């Protein structure tokens, strides 16, 4: 299991949503191994809750195809395959490319400053070997751009795709961790700065194309790591 901590959920009003949100983000960031079984009891202990909010969170995540539910009630992280990876990336390219393009019309100087800050943080974490903060910052960078499109529908669909992409993020994080451990620092994507520059120029075609290239670069690496 990756080193992403789940914390106690204590508010009775928000306990179900708290469990769901933490699990959702943990899956997105690659906390769990592909095909790993996750029991309700173990999660309830980790969250410090009863079984009920955990069971409801797992049900919601299964409805979004972020998990599979076994007959015994345990949740199973979906396994990985090259076919599934290509299918997910095809959908990501279509939706995230569109969201990035639409966002160009609404970008402000404050938005550019925020994206630049996130790109610098991502770069610094890449230099210092902070794998999971780096993955979180990468997600924040992408969604800061997608939210500029002003489309709740697109954001919801993209979030579900990132959730389903979680097992592949675990492959990616394990690869990056190994590189850091051997002293071979994983190169930070060059596309973030290029995307920011295209946003600054209000070049929607370039923003879309660069976002697609960023996704395809990750896809290419994962295809080498993924075993059918």
């Amino acid at each position: 299991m990756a080193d992403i901590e789940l914390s106690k959920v204590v508010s009775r009003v928000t306990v179900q949503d708290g469990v769901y949100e933490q699990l959702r983000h943990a899956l997105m960031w690659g906390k769990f191994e592909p095909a790993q079984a996750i029991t309700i009891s173990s999660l309830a202990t980790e969250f410090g809750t009863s079984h009920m909010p955990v069971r409801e969170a797992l049900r919601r995540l299964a409805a979004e195809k972020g998990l599979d539910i076994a007959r015994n009630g345990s949740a199973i992280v979906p396994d990985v395959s090259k076919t599934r990876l290509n299918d997910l990336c095809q959908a990501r390219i279509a939706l995230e490319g569109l969201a990035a393009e639409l966002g160009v019309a609404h970008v402000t100087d404050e938005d550019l400053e925020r994206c630049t800050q996130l790109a610098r943080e991502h770069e610094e974490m890449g230099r210092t070997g902070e794998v999971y903060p780096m993955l979180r910052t990468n997600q924040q960078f992408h969604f800061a751009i997608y939210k500029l499109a002003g489309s709740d529908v697109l954001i919801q669909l993209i979030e579900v795709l990132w959730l389903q992409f979680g097992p592949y993020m675990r492959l990616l994080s394990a690869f990056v961790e190994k590189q850091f451990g051997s002293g071979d620092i994983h190169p930070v994507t060059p596309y973030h700065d290029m995307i920011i520059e295209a946003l600054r120029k209000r070049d929607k075609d370039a923003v879309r194309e660069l976002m697609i290239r960023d996704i395809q670069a990750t896809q290419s690496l994962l295809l080498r790591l993924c075993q059918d």
Side-chain angles (χ1 to χ4, degrees), residues 9 30 52 54 56 61 76 82 96 98 116 135 144-145 148 156 169 171 176 186 189 194 201 209-210 218 220 222 226:
V9 179
M52 184 61 71
V54 174
E56 175 62 17
L61 291 165
I76 309 293
K82 292 181 179 179
E96 294 174 43
L98 174 61
T116 301
L135 293 177
I145 294 171
L148 296 176
Q156 289 167 6
M169 292 301 290
L171 289 184
V176 175
H186 182 66
T189 173
M194 296 166 70
K201 294 178 179 178
E209 179 60 28
L210 289 166
T218 301
S220 179
L222 285 168
C226 189

Side-chain angles (χ1 to χ4, degrees), residues 99-215:
E101 178 183 342
L102 293 175
V104 173
H106 308 289
V107 67
T108 65
D109 289 342
E110 289 76 16
D111 296 323
L112 289 170
E113 183 177 346
R114 172 61 174 158
C115 289
T116 301
Q117 177 187 356
L118 288 169
R120 296 290 77 77
E121 290 176 6
H122 181 261
E123 184 177 328
E124 178 61 24
M125 290 167 186
R127 282 196 294 265
T128 57
E130 300 174 78
V131 177
Y132 294 100
M134 185 174 69
L135 293 177
R136 289 195 293 270
T137 305
N138 178 68
Q139 182 185 21
Q140 290 171 338
F141 175 85
H142 279 260
F143 277 86
I145 294 171
Y146 302 151
K147 288 177 181 178
L148 296 176
S151 171
D152 290 340
V153 172
L154 273 177
I155 288 295
Q156 289 167 6
L157 291 172
I158 292 169
E159 284 182 347
V160 169
L161 287 175
W162 278 60
L163 172 63
Q164 295 179 17
F165 205 73
Y168 300 93
M169 292 301 290
R170 181 63 194 132
L171 289 184
L172 182 62
S173 64
F175 171 75
V176 175
E177 280 182 309
K178 182 182 289 187
Q179 285 200 317
F180 284 140
S182 65
D184 182 13
I185 302 300
H186 182 66
V188 175
T189 173
Y191 292 109
H192 287 182
D193 285 342
M194 296 166 70
I195 289 168
I196 292 169
E197 185 59 28
L199 281 170
R200 197 181 308 278
K201 294 178 179 178
R202 280 29 178 206
D203 187 339
K204 64 179 183 179
D205 292 334
V207 169
R208 179 173 190 147
E209 179 60 28
L210 289 166
M211 190 64 74
I212 289 171
R213 289 185 191 177
D214 191 27
I215 296 168

